[in-house]
Amino acid sequence: MLYALYQFFDINFFSYITVRAGLGFIVSFSLTLFILPRYIAWAISKNANQPISKYVPAHNEKRHTPTMGGAIFLISTMIAMLISADMTNIYIDTGLVAIVGFGWIGFQDDLGKVLSGDNLEGLTARGKLVRQLIVGLVVIAMLFYAGFPTEFYLPFIKTPIFDMGYFAIPFWILLFLATSNAVNLTDGLDGLATVPAVIALISLGLITYVTGHAIISNYLLVPNIKGVGEVTILATSFAGGLLGFLWYNCHPAEIFMGDTGSLSIGGVLAYLAILGKSEVLLLAIGFIFVVETISVILQVASFKLRGKRVFLMAPIHHHFELKKWAENKIIVRFWMIAIISNLLALISFKFR
């Protein structure tokens, strides 16, 4: 809408991606703040509560907290994008597919859990993975249709290592599956996944802006891909919606995002990393999500191979809970680690 004002009425102010990215953030943040309390009241009246596993520490005190709040910040993000972004941009359209696709998978999973009142119900692990695979393939097909380059880059190296060609398909699919499930595993404490996701979105938003900017990308010796800069608006709009969600999700949480939110966050982070040629750098940008996933892998592997556990409970945030760390202490310390890891990731951009 704002981009149309620039095109048809020559209002140059709205031609700048930075201006529209900032407005997208504000619109999404404001909408989420406005809608969420009304959704919370409705969800409580319908008993749309998050079923909590009986094995999770302090599960009883959270069993009446409503869930699927992710649907609200996803809707706010998409409205903000419709207002602020150039909807003729193929990368914006593909981003919308990622948001809706992964969000819909999470919604199906959440709905099954809420209706059954059991955290183990919902989609099966296989059913969820198949759906994630399909959405990932659709997104990748759209990128190939747009002629998106398939070169593989590593941090600190200014030239591509090699051209993946069609091997990019399984690599990017793996990225979508790993990232969406990693965020899902992290979403276990109040605000634990929210702030690292906001920080990661801002970092990836900066990277996509640089990637789409001919002058800055040349100065920083990063690949320049025409049209990718517009996706900065997607990143900031999503970050704004998540920040508005945090208002009600911080400890003690009044609402949980559910798989509706966490799977979509992971899908979008993977998508932005692909567009910014930062697939490897995502390990640092999403460091908290990586650590949480590795803790689960180590726990399962150790128990199967040795019959012993590495942690008191996995994911690792539950380990610290059982060590009697206060929930807020775990959350804030994880946030601090996320800030530091993202700063290091962004600094690496200068060293090429």
Side-chain angles (χ1 to χ4, degrees), residues 178-179 182-183 185-186 279-298 316:
T179 310
V183 177
L185 287 172
T186 307
E279 297 97 334
V280 175
L281 198 60
L282 187 59
L283 292 172
I285 292 172
F287 184 69
I288 289 298
F289 308 129
V290 173
V291 169
E292 292 274 24
T293 304
I294 290 175
S295 72
V296 173
I297 294 171
L298 288 175
I316 197 170

Side-chain angles (χ1 to χ4, degrees), residues 154-305:
L154 285 174
F156 308 110
I157 300 176
K158 63 184 179 181
T159 56
I161 305 301
F162 57 88
D163 189 342
M164 295 184 288
Y166 287 108
F167 286 105
I169 296 174
F171 176 59
W172 289 343
I173 283 292
L174 179 63
L175 192 69
F176 277 118
L177 295 178
T179 310
S180 57
N181 286 301
V183 177
N184 187 228
L185 287 172
T186 307
D187 183 34
L189 298 179
D190 301 344
L192 180 61
T194 308
V195 170
V198 170
I199 297 167
L201 284 165
I202 292 171
S203 296
L204 289 167
L206 288 170
I207 291 171
T208 53
Y209 179 75
V210 169
T211 302
H213 197 291
I215 297 174
I216 300 177
S217 62
N218 182 61
Y219 172 70
L220 293 176
L221 302 176
V222 299
N224 173 237
I225 306 172
K226 186 178 180 181
V228 164
E230 190 73 18
V231 183
T232 305
I233 298 166
L234 184 159
T236 57
S237 297
F238 210 134
L242 270 173
L243 197 63
F245 176 75
L246 182 65
W247 189 277
Y248 298 97
N249 181 237
C250 58
H251 185 72
E254 300 172 59
I255 182 76
F256 294 142
M257 69 171 69
D259 288 9
T260 306
S262 60
L263 290 181
S264 189
I265 290 170
V268 167
L269 291 180
Y271 177 65
L272 292 173
I274 291 169
L275 292 190
K277 292 298 177 183
S278 302
E279 297 97 334
V280 175
L281 198 60
L282 187 59
L283 292 172
I285 292 172
F287 184 69
I288 289 298
F289 308 129
V290 173
V291 169
E292 292 274 24
T293 304
I294 290 175
S295 72
V296 173
I297 294 171
L298 288 175
Q299 186 84 323
V300 172
S302 177
F303 191 75
K304 285 187 174 181
L305 296 174

Side-chain angles (χ1 to χ4, degrees), residues 35-55:
I35 299 171
L36 256 184
R38 292 156 178 80
Y39 172 77
I40 292 171
W42 175 85
I44 291 173
S45 71
K46 299 296 182 181
N47 292 317
N49 302 327
Q50 172 70 55
I52 307 293
S53 171
K54 64 181 180 180
Y55 302 106

Side-chain angles (χ1 to χ4, degrees), residues 30-86:
S30 302
L31 280 174
T32 304
L33 279 183
F34 177 77
I35 299 171
L36 256 184
R38 292 156 178 80
Y39 172 77
I40 292 171
W42 175 85
I44 291 173
S45 71
K46 299 296 182 181
N47 292 317
N49 302 327
Q50 172 70 55
I52 307 293
S53 171
K54 64 181 180 180
Y55 302 106
V56 172
H59 73 280
N60 283 326
E61 64 189 58
K62 297 187 178 185
R63 69 181 186 275
H64 296 304
T65 306
T67 188
M68 289 192 278
I72 305 305
F73 64 72
L74 294 186
I75 291 169
S76 298
T77 297
M78 290 186 285
I79 292 173
M81 288 172 63
L82 288 171
I83 292 173
S84 304
D86 174 12

